[in-house]
Amino acid sequence: VQLQASGGGLVQPGGSLRLSCAASGSIFSIRDMGWYRQNPGKQRELVASITAGGRTKYADSVKGRFTISRDNAKNTVYLQMNSLKPDDTAVYYCNAVIRRSWSAGDYDYWGQGTLVTVSS
């Protein structure tokens, strides 16, 4: 199983970016999907998560600015980021809790990380 993230880049304060993360490989089902971010010397923090049924959760710092969504048919999770601030600068990692067969357990998988830089 692989998670491939894309969509990072350089954006000015107030701008927008959309991150995507597609899961591929031997997948029976995907439970929660989410986005985390991390800066050097700091712990990785949850940005947003979404259950298979569409229930979402957001960090207080991004509420009202970021929107997480998913396309279950494509095994893909998205993060629409609006009104970006310099404090949003970080490496963003996607995460998915995946079951590889009906008899297997659920395991965490991580994407490779994509850098988001908010700067003028």
Side-chain angles (χ1 to χ4, degrees):
V1 173
Q2 288 188 329
L3 269 61
Q4 182 67 45
S6 61
L10 173 64
V11 64
Q12 291 187 341
S16 298
L17 280 176
R18 189 191 195 210
L19 305 183
S20 300
C21 177
S24 62
S26 178
I27 297 172
F28 176 75
S29 64
I30 302 179
R31 206 177 71 191
D32 296 353
M33 303 185 83
W35 290 94
Y36 291 71
R37 64 187 181 188
Q38 188 172 24
N39 279 306
K42 294 190 176 181
Q43 283 193 328
R44 191 171 296 188
E45 63 174 359
L46 174 69
V47 176
S49 65
I50 184 167
T51 67
R55 188 167 59 221
T56 59
K57 180 167 63 176
Y58 295 94
D60 287 343
S61 59
V62 307
K63 282 180 182 176
R65 301 188 297 121
F66 291 11
T67 302
I68 189 170
S69 61
R70 64 190 280 175
D71 184 333
N72 291 330
K74 295 181 179 180
N75 292 336
T76 299
V77 62
Y78 306 96
L79 186 68
Q80 178 66 43
M81 305 185 293
N82 299 328
S83 303
L84 282 159
K85 305 174 182 179
D87 282 351
D88 295 318
T89 296
V91 177
Y92 284 70
Y93 296 90
C94 59
N95 168 267
V97 180
I98 295 174
R99 178 171 295 193
R100 298 186 65 181
S101 69
W102 72 270
S103 61
D106 295 328
Y107 293 93
D108 267 328
Y109 291 87
W110 292 89
Q112 82 281 12
T114 184
L115 177 63
V116 172
T117 304
V118 184
S119 174
S120 54

